Amino acid sequence: MIQQRKKYLPNFTVTVSLTIALFIIGLCGLLTIMGRKLSEVVKQNIEVQVYLEKGLTPGESDAIRKAIAAKPYVAKRNGQPQVSFMSKEAAADKFIKDTGENFRNFLGDNPLRDAMFVKVSEDYFSEAGLKQIKADLEKVDGVFEATYVENFVEEVNKNLAKIYLVLSVFVALLLIIIVVLVNNTIKLALYSQRFTIRSMQLVGATNGFIRRPFLYRGIVQGLLSAVFACVFLGVIIKLAFQYVEGINLLLGDWNKLATLAGVLALFGMVVGFLSTFQSVERYLRSSVERLY
């Protein structure tokens, strides 16, 4: 019983070490997916407010809406231009509801204007692009003014660039550390079998024949570790869906999550294969004195 435990303990240690490593890499991958999705959500909700001249008829307002919808920078969803209209009455009702103050009582009039909200295509997600859109919209007959939140786009782009840079550096350092640690763990696991390798050489087994079972086990360990890591990540995602409101908007792309799982599986098998190959080669070329 004790001998069997000693036999399987190194393999268990390798699997646990690789599982933890892949789990941490998977968390970094999830953060990257969430960051990219957040960027897409922000870009999809960038809009320009277009305020119309007063005294326009419904027909004139509709003509302006069609003219704006035909612009190349207007975002489309399911083939429909994302241009919405809000009358000044609806805007006043919304303002009163949000603030609880009825300005009509002391002004006696509604100073607001009919407005259109234009969602901008991601291709124009820049400060310069929005300035050009603002200038172009203000040239449309019947448009009083076009506005947007200035400097917001630049701040978003700068912050996203910083986040991606920090994540990239962290993942790169993590990969180096993980490869070194897993490689050393596999070396220690094979250390107990160095005499088995030497015995196989003495009976005439070729190096390829000796390597084959070890490499197969390394690949299986890598794949098994990736499965465990994906299970733990799945638990994290499930808990996030339950307790973090709106997280489904950032983690709802199952194709990317499936790709992440595939990358973890491939990485686990590659690390398991290469580390095992390197360790086996070391013992295949070692002299009898070095085995002791």
Side-chain angles (χ1 to χ4, degrees), residues 1-14 188-189 192-193 217 221:
M1 181 68 69
I2 296 177
Q3 291 297 327
Q4 286 182 342
R5 288 181 180 178
K6 289 183 178 181
K7 177 181 177 181
Y8 291 111
L9 183 60
N11 295 329
F12 176 76
T13 303
V14 171
L188 291 175
S192 61
Q193 301 187 48
R217 186 174 63 191
Q221 285 176 333

Side-chain angles (χ1 to χ4, degrees), residues 34 51 107 166 191 196 234 248 290:
M34 292 173 64
Y51 298 99
L107 290 179
V166 171
Y191 179 78
T196 302
N248 59 309
R290 291 187 63 184

Side-chain angles (χ1 to χ4, degrees), residues 20 23-24 39 50 55 63 107 133 140 157 196 201 204 208 217 237-238 257 261 278 283:
I20 295 173
F23 175 72
I24 296 175
S39 173
V50 180
L107 290 179
I133 292 172
V140 177
N157 284 331
T196 302
Q201 284 181 315
R217 186 174 63 191
I237 293 173
K238 184 176 180 180
L257 293 178
Q278 182 181 4
Y283 293 120

Side-chain angles (χ1 to χ4, degrees), residues 17-84:
S17 300
L18 195 51
T19 298
I20 295 173
L22 293 176
F23 175 72
I24 296 175
I25 292 176
L27 282 179
C28 293
L30 282 179
L31 291 176
T32 302
I33 291 174
M34 292 173 64
R36 291 186 177 277
K37 190 63 179 179
L38 178 61
S39 173
E40 292 177 6
V41 171
V42 171
K43 291 178 180 180
Q44 289 171 359
N45 287 279
I46 288 293
E47 62 182 17
V48 178
Q49 297 84 37
V50 180
Y51 298 99
L52 307 183
E53 297 283 358
K54 292 185 176 180
L56 296 177
T57 65
E60 290 172 334
S61 298
D62 188 59
I64 295 173
R65 187 190 64 79
K66 290 179 179 179
I68 294 175
K71 299 291 184 180
Y73 46 74
V74 176
K76 291 181 174 58
R77 186 172 298 171
N78 298 325
Q80 297 297 320
Q82 297 299 292
V83 180
S84 57

